[in-house]
Amino acid sequence: MHTLYRIAKRLIAIVFLAMGLNLAGPVAAAYAETDLHLIYLPHRLTETSNKQYDRLLDEIFAGTELNVAREASPMKRALTLFLSDSDSCLFPISVKALHAVAEPDAIVSSELIDIVSLRLYTPTGDTEKAFTSVDDFDPRRVGYIAGSGTVQGLGPKHKLFVPIPSEEQLIRMLELGRIDAFLGHHPDTALALEDLNRPGLLRVSPITVSNVRFPISFVCHDTAGGRQFIEEMNARIRQLHQDGEIRRVLGPHANLPTDAEDAIGAQVSQ
């Protein structure tokens, strides 16, 4: 009798152990480590700057149980790392821009964080060079960030624009009169002006150049892990937008999705 009792106890223990393993399996898988490749932005995201996107990432992940390995690198490298690793995700990126190098059906994207736009900058107070469009300038006197694909949609004259490595150099060249205007990304240029302690130095076009706007989100490969990550991000993004935390963290220069609808008069979508 005692032998049968011991056998029965062992069988019950084995059954409960198996049930526990079955229950624990999906949970452990749900929180497997995700490699999040980050695009280095000197005035917004460096992993050490404690600015804009750096702080926002901390806010987002503080509200989840996700296990995320974050690494910031220049855009081309971050993109290469993401495309070569089907278990990874990428931020900040516009899914529209990513479609140029990845199949749309192979990636999933989160709800929008904010919108990056293309603006035209000229010296403040230079009334003789008032502008209505980039065509008001000699294209050989118009600068832009080297490597930016945004200018390619501005017609054949874009080949004459002057590529410059950074916002700081664009600002200084304009201040020194070496160029008459430059195309810059907003809010990156506004943040660069603040970092240089020259917030009122330049005049900026009130609306985007040729309606070039990039809605920013998280992007993952369309896998079970990628979809799980995006679901978690969506919940946090909605909450932080609703609570006003994204506005607080990103600051007054940020264009949020509702801001863009109000200012530009057209719905921003991916």
Side-chain angles (χ1 to χ4, degrees):
M1 179 68 72
H2 290 296
T3 300
L4 290 173
Y5 178 71
R6 286 196 298 272
I7 292 172
K9 284 183 66 177
R10 288 176 182 173
L11 287 172
I12 292 171
I14 291 170
V15 169
F16 275 102
L17 177 61
M19 290 176 62
L21 290 173
N22 285 336
L23 289 172
V27 174
Y31 298 115
E33 185 174 79
T34 299
D35 288 329
L36 178 60
H37 301 295
L38 303 171
I39 296 174
Y40 180 93
L41 300 171
H43 306 287
R44 306 187 80 187
L45 196 164
T46 68
E47 281 290 273
T48 59
S49 72
N50 195 33
K51 294 180 180 179
Q52 282 223 330
Y53 284 153
D54 285 333
R55 296 202 311 273
L56 182 62
L57 288 171
D58 290 340
E59 288 280 346
I60 289 174
F61 292 120
T64 76
E65 296 183 29
L66 291 170
N67 184 14
V68 180
R70 289 152 50 174
E71 179 185 1
S73 54
M75 183 172 184
K76 287 185 178 180
R77 175 170 171 76
L79 189 57
T80 298
L81 291 170
F82 167 70
L83 292 174
S84 64
D85 181 2
S86 61
D87 293 323
S88 68
C89 299
L90 180 67
F91 178 83
I93 192 71
S94 167
V95 70
K96 282 183 177 180
L98 195 56
H99 284 169
V101 293
E103 291 294 329
D105 293 341
I107 56 177
V108 289
S109 60
S110 73
E111 295 191 7
L112 304 186
I113 299 290
D114 65 341
I115 293 94
V116 172
S117 57
L118 188 67
R119 305 292 178 105
L120 186 64
Y121 292 84
T122 57
T124 300
D126 195 347
T127 56
E128 293 182 0
K129 295 179 181 176
F131 59 86
T132 57
S133 78
V134 70
D135 292 329
D136 293 338
F137 298 89
D138 179 345
R140 292 164 296 187
R141 300 276 298 173
V142 175
Y144 73 98
I145 291 286
S148 173
T150 58
V151 299
Q152 295 178 6
L154 301 182
K157 288 183 180 180
H158 85 269
K159 296 178 181 179
L160 300 176
F161 296 164
V162 184
I164 306 297
S166 69
E167 282 91 357
E168 289 91 344
Q169 286 177 270
L170 282 168
I171 292 167
R172 290 190 177 101
M173 286 185 70
L174 189 61
E175 187 177 16
L176 293 171
R178 294 178 182 172
I179 55 176
D180 294 331
F182 71 80
L183 293 159
H185 296 130
H186 179 85
D188 301 78
T189 302
L191 294 169
L193 285 165
E194 287 191 348
D195 287 346
L196 292 170
N197 197 28
R198 309 295 296 276
L201 178 66
L202 305 182
R203 190 160 59 102
V204 58
S205 57
I207 60 173
T208 62
V209 175
S210 298
N211 203 30
V212 175
R213 296 169 292 163
F214 294 99
I216 300 301
S217 63
F218 291 86
V219 171
C220 300
H221 296 274
D222 190 4
T223 63
R227 291 190 293 273
Q228 171 68 27
F229 184 90
I230 292 299
E231 287 178 7
E232 292 273 357
M233 291 299 96
N234 283 342
R236 288 295 291 151
I237 291 168
R238 289 190 208 105
Q239 180 183 350
L240 293 173
H241 271 305
Q242 181 177 347
D243 296 344
E245 285 299 293
I246 290 183
R247 167 61 70 196
R248 181 186 67 79
V249 171
L250 297 188
H253 296 303
N255 283 338
L256 303 187
T258 52
D259 297 336
E261 290 173 5
D262 292 342
I264 300 171
Q267 185 174 0
V268 174
S269 65
Q270 295 174 305

